[in-house]
Amino acid sequence: SGQKVCYGDFKRSCYKLAYFQDLSRRVGFQEARQACEIDGGALLSLESEAEQQLIENMLQNLTKSGSGISDGDFWIGLWRSGDGLASSSACPDLYQWADGSVSPFRNWYTDEPSCGSEACVVMYHQPTANPGLGGPYLYQWNDDRCNMKH
């Protein structure tokens, strides 16, 4: 399930957002990727600041329509395959878009990506968390373990 929103002015004219307050319905990166592909789409690739802002606005509308404030990060289509150079300074350059997009746009949270065993990327959505060094945990990107449920 999810909410489908369409626009005419972006490369991808339609977006589908799925936000589950029920923790048991959240899935890992590969499950989310497969669900998107079964639905004829792909996990989100963000190619510009304008598209990032569009998605932030959509998430604000989606999450405020629910019952109460709830934390829950969103998978996006950025990931790092393999971990050969995961601990090197080259690590941030190893992330790629799952749909093959080549956009260099990134919106990492302060001190991210941390690499290591974290190879899949979420867009933060933690309105109840105390702000960290990079401010509130809202809409910036964080690498996470691919088996985490979001």
Side-chain angles (χ1 to χ4, degrees):
S1 67
Q3 175 181 349
K4 187 173 182 180
V5 182
C6 296
Y7 298 91
D9 56 346
F10 280 87
K11 182 175 146 184
R12 287 171 293 279
S13 58
C14 292
Y15 300 86
K16 185 173 180 182
L17 302 174
Y19 180 69
F20 303 110
Q21 288 181 313
D22 179 357
L23 298 180
S24 69
R25 297 192 62 197
R26 296 180 184 180
V27 297
F29 181 84
Q30 292 300 345
E31 293 165 289
R33 186 176 177 182
Q34 289 169 353
C36 290
E37 289 171 358
I38 288 169
D39 209 23
L43 276 175
L44 179 64
S45 295
L46 290 140
E47 298 190 3
S48 68
E49 182 63 40
E51 191 172 25
Q52 170 78 26
Q53 188 60 55
L54 173 73
I55 298 303
E56 289 180 24
N57 292 340
M58 289 169 57
L59 291 176
Q60 288 166 7
N61 291 337
L62 176 70
T63 56
K64 75 179 170 191
S65 66
S67 56
I69 296 175
S70 152
D71 291 343
D73 300 333
F74 291 85
W75 287 120
I76 62 173
L78 193 64
W79 72 301
R80 176 174 47 83
S81 62
D83 55 5
L85 301 173
S87 60
S88 77
S89 60
C91 175
D93 297 328
L94 298 176
Y95 285 84
Q96 59 192 350
W97 294 109
D99 68 359
S101 299
V102 294
S103 170
F105 176 75
R106 301 292 186 266
N107 191 41
W108 295 114
Y109 190 78
T110 301
D111 295 333
E112 298 296 345
S114 51
C115 300
S117 63
E118 299 179 335
C120 297
V121 179
V122 294
M123 181 182 290
Y124 273 140
H125 187 266
Q126 299 177 18
T128 66
N130 290 326
L133 292 175
Y137 295 97
L138 285 173
Y139 315 119
Q140 308 93 341
W141 306 352
N142 171 49
D143 58 333
D144 202 353
R145 293 190 319 274
C146 298
N147 62 352
M148 294 297 289
K149 307 288 186 190
H150 294 294

